[in-house]
């Protein structure tokens, strides 16, 4: 996972783009969790707040939903907004 901290695009958007692409490719399948915040922090070197911000973007887009105490889960394609 490559994140460019000096790039023009904010790092939370870069991470959201990477996760979005992994969802689209099926690497992160429907009804399965996103990698944990800790895993994403370790893989990218980003802060917890930045990782949370990226997940929030995907929630707002309807690609993932939050399960309290369990994390973020990929929404099945037929349940995503049009």
């Amino acid at each position: 996972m490559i994140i460019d901290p000096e790039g023009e695009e904010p790092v939370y958007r870069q991470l959201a783009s990477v996760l979005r692409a992994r969802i689209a490719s099926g690497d992160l399948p429907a009804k399965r969790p996103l990698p944990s915040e800790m895993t994403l922090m370790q893989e990218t070197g980003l802060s917890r707040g930045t990782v949370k911000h990226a997940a929030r973007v995907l929630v707002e887009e309807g690609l993932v939903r939050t399960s309290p105490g369990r994390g973020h889960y990929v929404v099945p394609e037929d349940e995503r907004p049009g």
Side-chain angles (χ1 to χ4, degrees), residues 5-80:
E6 296 181 20
E8 184 176 337
E9 185 175 28
V11 290
Y12 77 91
R13 289 204 177 273
Q14 292 180 49
L15 178 56
S17 293
V18 168
L19 294 172
R20 192 180 301 111
R22 289 181 63 190
I23 291 168
S25 74
D27 184 40
L28 292 172
K31 297 185 178 184
R32 303 303 300 171
L34 292 182
S36 70
E37 289 176 2
M38 185 59 69
T39 297
L40 291 171
M41 289 167 55
Q42 291 171 343
E43 289 179 0
T44 63
L46 298 174
S47 71
R48 183 177 303 274
T50 300
V51 170
K52 284 180 181 243
H53 197 169
R56 195 166 48 247
V57 167
L58 298 177
V59 168
E60 290 169 0
E61 292 175 357
L63 293 175
V64 301
R65 66 175 55 111
T66 303
S67 178
R70 301 202 58 201
H72 294 89
Y73 284 76
V74 178
V75 173
E77 198 168 341
D78 62 344
E79 295 178 22
R80 297 177 192 163

